[in-house]
Amino acid sequence: MPEIGIGFHTDAFNSSHKSFEQALAWAQEHDVHYIEPGTIDGACWIQGLGYFPHVSFLEDPVLLRRKMEGYGVEFSQIDAAYPLSGLDGPSIGVPYVQRAIAWAAQAGCPRVATTDGLYKPEGLSDREALDQMKRSYTEIVRVAEAHEVVVTIETHGYFTTRPEFLAEMLDFCGETPWLRLNLDTGNTFIAGNDPVAFADRFIDRIAHVHIKDVSASLAEAARGGATGIAISHVAAGDGVNADNIRAILRRLSAHGFDGVLNIECEGQGGPMLADSVRWLRQEIAEAGFTERVPSFVRVPAGA
């Protein structure tokens, strides 16, 4: 059986104004061992006061990694998804992602998430934006290779939710193993795609997955007219995308996927996220996966 990790994006605690350490404590309480936070390049008062569940590059990455190990948690990925498709992609997005890569390497984090913008960029044609992103990703992947950190492209915007554009983006740097796909099950759905067919097309490139369901009301209001969901307000398994997620899990299992599934939902301070974890654990077992635990986590004898 392939092994797979279960985790969550700390966006789940945005609306409840929890700190990153409170997110770690929640993970420990619910036996969840992988986490993906957003990243701040600098200081932010709301994060410093403990009301924002993401991490700053000013924090020492090694000391933070040790703290996380005390909670039985490790990074599956850090989120540095500043849009790279706009005019400010090279000037703001590229150095931000490059700094995230170097910080991630010190923190023992294997992946850094990137993406494009939600909309067609102003002032650029599609070809101009793609050519610009190719130059940006070339610089980003050069740093990723040096630090041995995988850069993932998340399906979240105007280009990445269009399969023909995404295919070109994933080939920006040739056959490199350092540029892969972060499949988001909810964003592919809300953009009007068939998420299962989308996963099938790119299954060889998937390194990380965001498990995101979609409420019936949001699907009715926005499907085909949006490219991304800021945060899902329905637990995984309770929305109209649940059957697609089940089918994708079975395909990933058959393909031998051994990465991490990170749940993205609003969380309600924990209850919605807890419901999602319970549902996902049942679904991965039915798909033929076993759940992986990091090697540093002590498993009780007989467990």
Side-chain angles (χ1 to χ4, degrees):
M1 278 188 172
E3 286 190 332
I4 200 168
I6 289 179
F8 62 89
H9 198 297
T10 58
D11 276 348
F13 295 96
N14 284 355
S15 64
S16 53
H17 307 296
K18 298 291 180 63
S19 67
F20 180 70
E21 189 158 4
Q22 286 174 305
L24 293 178
W26 189 96
Q28 182 182 50
E29 180 182 354
H30 292 82
D31 198 27
V32 175
H33 301 286
Y34 296 92
I35 201 166
E36 177 186 0
T39 51
I40 304 165
D41 189 5
C44 173
W45 67 268
I46 195 169
Q47 187 259 358
L49 286 172
Y51 299 136
F52 195 55
H54 303 290
V55 299
S56 167
F57 295 151
L58 295 177
E59 298 177 71
D60 185 273
V62 175
L63 293 178
L64 183 59
R65 183 185 70 209
R66 291 174 182 170
K67 175 186 285 188
M68 290 171 61
E69 288 177 354
Y71 285 96
V73 178
E74 69 179 17
F75 289 120
S76 68
Q77 182 168 268
I78 60 171
D79 194 340
Y82 190 92
L84 293 171
S85 55
L87 288 171
D88 61 357
S91 60
I92 297 178
V94 170
Y96 171 54
V97 175
Q98 288 177 324
R99 185 162 183 186
I101 291 166
W103 190 93
Q106 291 296 306
C109 174
R111 303 175 195 88
V112 171
T114 65
T115 197
D116 58 334
L118 294 175
Y119 309 107
K120 179 181 175 67
E122 292 186 15
L124 296 173
S125 68
D126 290 350
R127 177 44 49 196
E128 288 170 334
L130 285 163
D131 289 345
Q132 173 184 281
M133 283 195 290
K134 182 173 183 177
R135 292 190 292 271
S136 294
Y137 274 104
T138 298
E139 287 301 299
I140 287 167
V141 170
R142 181 173 62 89
V143 174
E145 182 176 7
H147 289 280
E148 298 185 348
V149 171
V150 171
V151 171
T152 62
I153 299 176
E154 180 180 349
T155 47
H156 206 297
Y158 174 81
F159 293 96
T160 53
T161 56
R162 289 168 164 79
E164 66 279 9
F165 288 150
L166 179 60
E168 181 175 344
M169 292 175 69
L170 289 168
D171 287 336
F172 276 161
C173 301
E175 297 297 321
T176 178
W178 305 109
L179 186 62
R180 304 288 300 283
L181 176 62
N182 182 111
L183 177 71
D184 188 299
T185 62
N187 294 342
T188 52
F189 177 87
I190 205 68
N193 295 297
D194 175 345
V196 181
F198 202 102
D200 282 341
R201 176 167 179 173
F202 296 106
I203 199 158
D204 288 331
R205 312 300 287 273
I206 298 172
H208 195 267
V209 179
H210 284 167
I211 298 295
K212 186 185 294 175
D213 212 334
V214 181
S215 69
S217 59
L218 181 60
E220 182 178 355
R223 190 171 189 212
T227 59
I229 301 169
I231 195 73
S232 179
H233 288 265
V234 64
D238 287 347
V240 296
N241 202 32
D243 286 342
N244 291 322
I245 296 172
R246 288 189 184 98
I248 289 170
L249 291 175
R250 282 156 176 75
R251 282 161 166 76
L252 290 172
S253 177
H255 197 70
F257 177 76
D258 62 354
V260 177
L261 308 172
N262 267 357
I263 297 163
E264 287 196 323
C265 69
E266 193 276 335
Q268 297 177 342
M272 186 181 289
L273 183 57
D275 290 343
S276 298
V277 170
R278 283 191 292 270
W279 180 82
L280 187 56
R281 281 190 165 132
Q282 177 180 330
E283 292 301 325
I284 68 165
E286 293 183 6
F289 286 111
T290 57
E291 186 174 352
R292 182 172 64 249
V293 174
S295 58
F296 62 81
V297 176
R298 295 180 180 178
V299 178

